[in-house]
Amino acid sequence: MARNRILIVDDDPAIRFGLRDFLETRGYRVEEAATAAEAEQLFRTASPDVVVSDYRLPDGDALQLLPRLRAIADQVPIILLTAHGSVELAVQAMK
């Protein structure tokens, strides 16, 4: 079975649109969430093969979301994006 389901988590509709457009033209199925709560719900129901998430979300951050998603399915890769990165943040995310 092809692994082609991607969950995009970002509160900016323009970012979600751009990522969705790019990925769908390459054959991926895309789900979108604007908050951590939406992401967790979609993660359970859509069973994505990968998650691409912004770090800053309206109801928390991706480091708070990460363990909740890992508790559901720990084998799914999660890619964190941020415009406000630091070495410290990268180390926290990898732990």
Side-chain angles (χ1 to χ4, degrees):
M1 172 181 255
R3 297 175 49 94
N4 64 356
R5 296 166 304 206
I6 299 175
L7 172 59
I8 298 169
V9 186
D10 199 303
D11 60 326
D12 185 332
I15 298 292
R16 290 195 317 268
F17 173 80
L19 286 171
R20 173 187 278 277
D21 186 54
F22 176 83
L23 293 166
E24 284 182 340
T25 61
R26 284 151 181 82
Y28 294 96
R29 290 182 291 165
V30 178
E31 296 289 337
E32 297 178 35
T35 67
E38 280 181 52
E40 187 174 354
Q41 182 177 346
L42 277 171
F43 191 81
R44 291 177 188 278
T45 59
S47 300
D49 299 306
V50 67
V51 176
V52 177
S53 179
D54 187 21
Y55 173 71
R56 291 186 179 177
L57 300 168
D59 57 346
D61 64 47
L63 292 184
Q64 296 166 331
L65 175 62
L66 189 64
R68 298 191 332 238
L69 299 184
R70 289 276 180 243
I72 299 165
D74 66 349
Q75 76 283 1
V76 176
I78 300 171
I79 300 166
L80 302 181
L81 306 174
T82 184
H84 309 282
S86 68
V87 172
E88 227 176 275
L89 178 58
V91 171
Q92 284 179 325
M94 290 190 318
K95 285 182 180 181

